PDB file of all heavy atoms in Angstrom:
ATOM      1  N   TYR A  87       6.672  43.104  -1.860  1.00 40.00           N
ATOM      2  CA  TYR A  87       5.640  43.993  -1.427  1.00 40.00           C
ATOM      3  C   TYR A  87       6.050  45.312  -1.329  1.00 40.00           C
ATOM      4  O   TYR A  87       7.004  45.705  -0.610  1.00 40.00           O
ATOM      5  CB  TYR A  87       5.028  43.474  -0.219  1.00 40.00           C
ATOM      6  CG  TYR A  87       3.951  44.389   0.490  1.00 40.00           C
ATOM      7  CD1 TYR A  87       2.705  44.481  -0.115  1.00 40.00           C
ATOM      8  CD2 TYR A  87       4.244  45.194   1.601  1.00 40.00           C
ATOM      9  CE1 TYR A  87       1.679  45.317   0.399  1.00 40.00           C
ATOM     10  CE2 TYR A  87       3.313  45.944   2.120  1.00 40.00           C
ATOM     11  CZ  TYR A  87       2.007  46.087   1.446  1.00 40.00           C
ATOM     12  OH  TYR A  87       1.113  46.842   1.978  1.00 40.00           O
ATOM     13  N   GLY A  89       7.763  47.130  -3.450  1.00 43.00           N
ATOM     14  CA  GLY A  89       9.210  47.278  -3.840  1.00 43.00           C
ATOM     15  C   GLY A  89      10.193  46.737  -2.942  1.00 43.00           C
ATOM     16  O   GLY A  89      11.414  46.794  -3.208  1.00 43.00           O
ATOM     17  N   LYS A  90       9.874  46.099  -1.793  1.00 42.00           N
ATOM     18  CA  LYS A  90      10.827  45.511  -0.870  1.00 42.00           C
ATOM     19  C   LYS A  90      10.637  43.897  -0.899  1.00 42.00           C
ATOM     20  O   LYS A  90       9.549  43.468  -1.141  1.00 42.00           O
ATOM     21  CB  LYS A  90      10.602  46.032   0.453  1.00 42.00           C
ATOM     22  CG  LYS A  90      10.817  47.492   0.659  1.00 42.00           C
ATOM     23  CD  LYS A  90      10.669  47.964   2.027  1.00 42.00           C
ATOM     24  CE  LYS A  90      10.810  49.425   2.251  1.00 42.00           C
ATOM     25  NZ  LYS A  90      10.723  49.911   3.601  1.00 42.00           N
ATOM     26  N   LYS A 106      -5.930  40.292   4.187  1.00 40.00           N
ATOM     27  CA  LYS A 106      -6.210  38.883   4.380  1.00 40.00           C
ATOM     28  C   LYS A 106      -4.911  38.040   4.520  1.00 40.00           C
ATOM     29  O   LYS A 106      -3.968  38.529   3.931  1.00 40.00           O
ATOM     30  CB  LYS A 106      -7.045  38.262   3.234  1.00 40.00           C
ATOM     31  CG  LYS A 106      -8.501  38.918   3.056  1.00 40.00           C
ATOM     32  CD  LYS A 106      -9.208  38.332   1.869  1.00 40.00           C
ATOM     33  CE  LYS A 106     -10.556  39.034   1.732  1.00 40.00           C
ATOM     34  NZ  LYS A 106     -11.235  38.505   0.546  1.00 40.00           N
ATOM     35  N   PRO A 117       9.162   8.729   1.399  1.00 42.00           N
ATOM     36  CA  PRO A 117       9.666   7.802   2.487  1.00 42.00           C
ATOM     37  C   PRO A 117      11.151   7.730   2.557  1.00 42.00           C
ATOM     38  O   PRO A 117      11.907   7.870   1.545  1.00 42.00           O
ATOM     39  CB  PRO A 117       9.154   6.432   2.001  1.00 42.00           C
ATOM     40  CG  PRO A 117       8.995   6.594   0.550  1.00 42.00           C
ATOM     41  CD  PRO A 117       8.593   7.985   0.285  1.00 42.00           C
ATOM     42  N   SER A 123      14.116   0.213   4.832  1.00 60.00           N
ATOM     43  CA  SER A 123      14.977  -0.821   5.303  1.00 60.00           C
ATOM     44  C   SER A 123      14.197  -1.610   6.528  1.00 60.00           C
ATOM     45  O   SER A 123      14.250  -2.782   6.623  1.00 60.00           O
ATOM     46  CB  SER A 123      16.212  -0.329   5.914  1.00 60.00           C
ATOM     47  OG  SER A 123      17.002   0.325   4.910  1.00 60.00           O
ATOM     48  N   LEU A 166      53.529 -27.305  28.715  1.00 85.00           N
ATOM     49  CA  LEU A 166      54.841 -27.169  28.059  1.00 85.00           C
ATOM     50  C   LEU A 166      55.944 -26.573  29.017  1.00 85.00           C
ATOM     51  O   LEU A 166      57.084 -26.888  28.878  1.00 85.00           O
ATOM     52  CB  LEU A 166      54.692 -26.278  26.775  1.00 85.00           C
ATOM     53  CG  LEU A 166      53.859 -26.909  25.641  1.00 85.00           C
ATOM     54  CD1 LEU A 166      53.707 -25.880  24.578  1.00 85.00           C
ATOM     55  CD2 LEU A 166      54.474 -28.194  25.116  1.00 85.00           C
ATOM     56  N   LEU A 182      42.162 -28.759  21.952  1.00 91.00           N
ATOM     57  CA  LEU A 182      42.278 -27.433  21.407  1.00 91.00           C
ATOM     58  C   LEU A 182      41.940 -27.488  19.854  1.00 91.00           C
ATOM     59  O   LEU A 182      41.291 -26.676  19.249  1.00 91.00           O
ATOM     60  CB  LEU A 182      43.751 -26.944  21.499  1.00 91.00           C
ATOM     61  CG  LEU A 182      44.113 -25.668  20.871  1.00 91.00           C
ATOM     62  CD1 LEU A 182      43.241 -24.493  21.500  1.00 91.00           C
ATOM     63  CD2 LEU A 182      45.624 -25.376  21.088  1.00 91.00           C
ATOM     64  N   ILE A 237      -4.247  -8.330  -6.081  1.00 88.00           N
ATOM     65  CA  ILE A 237      -5.221  -8.055  -7.096  1.00 88.00           C
ATOM     66  C   ILE A 237      -4.816  -8.464  -8.499  1.00 88.00           C
ATOM     67  O   ILE A 237      -5.545  -9.005  -9.131  1.00 88.00           O
ATOM     68  CB  ILE A 237      -5.667  -6.536  -7.025  1.00 88.00           C
ATOM     69  CG1 ILE A 237      -6.104  -6.100  -5.672  1.00 88.00           C
ATOM     70  CG2 ILE A 237      -6.544  -6.264  -8.151  1.00 88.00           C
ATOM     71  CD1 ILE A 237      -6.452  -4.727  -5.584  1.00 88.00           C
ATOM     72  N   LYS A 255       1.637  -5.816 -29.900  1.00 89.00           N
ATOM     73  CA  LYS A 255       1.101  -6.614 -31.068  1.00 89.00           C
ATOM     74  C   LYS A 255       1.160  -8.106 -30.706  1.00 89.00           C
ATOM     75  O   LYS A 255       0.156  -8.886 -31.023  1.00 89.00           O
ATOM     76  CB  LYS A 255       1.913  -6.416 -32.298  1.00 89.00           C
ATOM     77  CG  LYS A 255       1.671  -4.887 -32.804  1.00 89.00           C
ATOM     78  CD  LYS A 255       2.610  -4.593 -33.983  1.00 89.00           C
ATOM     79  CE  LYS A 255       2.409  -3.244 -34.478  1.00 89.00           C
ATOM     80  NZ  LYS A 255       3.338  -2.935 -35.642  1.00 89.00           N
ATOM     81  N   SER A 257       0.849  -9.518 -27.868  1.00 90.00           N
ATOM     82  CA  SER A 257       0.017  -9.950 -26.703  1.00 90.00           C
ATOM     83  C   SER A 257      -1.478  -9.991 -27.245  1.00 90.00           C
ATOM     84  O   SER A 257      -2.320 -10.519 -26.460  1.00 90.00           O
ATOM     85  CB  SER A 257       0.095  -8.859 -25.633  1.00 90.00           C
ATOM     86  OG  SER A 257      -0.480  -7.654 -26.063  1.00 90.00           O
ATOM     87  N   THR A 276      11.653   3.948 -22.505  1.00 89.00           N
ATOM     88  CA  THR A 276      12.821   4.614 -21.989  1.00 89.00           C
ATOM     89  C   THR A 276      13.409   5.693 -22.934  1.00 89.00           C
ATOM     90  O   THR A 276      14.228   6.505 -22.488  1.00 89.00           O
ATOM     91  CB  THR A 276      13.970   3.503 -21.869  1.00 89.00           C
ATOM     92  OG1 THR A 276      14.116   2.810 -23.149  1.00 89.00           O
ATOM     93  CG2 THR A 276      13.630   2.545 -20.793  1.00 89.00           C
ATOM     94  N   LEU A 301      -6.063  -4.279 -20.372  1.00 90.00           N
ATOM     95  CA  LEU A 301      -4.804  -5.036 -20.229  1.00 90.00           C
ATOM     96  C   LEU A 301      -3.639  -3.946 -20.293  1.00 90.00           C
ATOM     97  O   LEU A 301      -2.607  -4.199 -19.504  1.00 90.00           O
ATOM     98  CB  LEU A 301      -4.590  -6.079 -21.340  1.00 90.00           C
ATOM     99  CG  LEU A 301      -3.191  -6.754 -21.298  1.00 90.00           C
ATOM    100  CD1 LEU A 301      -3.112  -7.627 -20.064  1.00 90.00           C
ATOM    101  CD2 LEU A 301      -3.169  -7.758 -22.516  1.00 90.00           C
ATOM    102  N   VAL A 355       0.115 -17.544 -19.883  1.00 91.00           N
ATOM    103  CA  VAL A 355      -1.208 -18.115 -19.937  1.00 91.00           C
ATOM    104  C   VAL A 355      -1.150 -19.603 -19.439  1.00 91.00           C
ATOM    105  O   VAL A 355      -2.012 -20.125 -18.737  1.00 91.00           O
ATOM    106  CB  VAL A 355      -1.795 -17.977 -21.301  1.00 91.00           C
ATOM    107  CG1 VAL A 355      -3.157 -18.806 -21.423  1.00 91.00           C
ATOM    108  CG2 VAL A 355      -2.088 -16.563 -21.651  1.00 91.00           C
ATOM    109  N   ASP A 370      -3.653 -19.541  -5.317  1.00 50.00           N
ATOM    110  CA  ASP A 370      -3.195 -18.205  -5.203  1.00 50.00           C
ATOM    111  C   ASP A 370      -1.757 -18.080  -5.180  1.00 50.00           C
ATOM    112  O   ASP A 370      -1.069 -17.152  -5.631  1.00 50.00           O
ATOM    113  CB  ASP A 370      -3.819 -17.522  -4.067  1.00 50.00           C
ATOM    114  CG  ASP A 370      -5.309 -17.077  -4.261  1.00 50.00           C
ATOM    115  OD1 ASP A 370      -5.619 -17.038  -5.522  1.00 50.00           O
ATOM    116  OD2 ASP A 370      -6.021 -16.679  -3.406  1.00 50.00           O
TER     117      ASP A 370
END
Side-chain angles (χ1 to χ4, degrees):
Y87 175 71
K90 297 182 179 180
K106 298 179 181 179
S123 299
L166 293 175
L182 180 60
I237 300 175
K255 295 177 182 178
S257 68
T276 55
L301 178 64
V355 175
D370 280 349

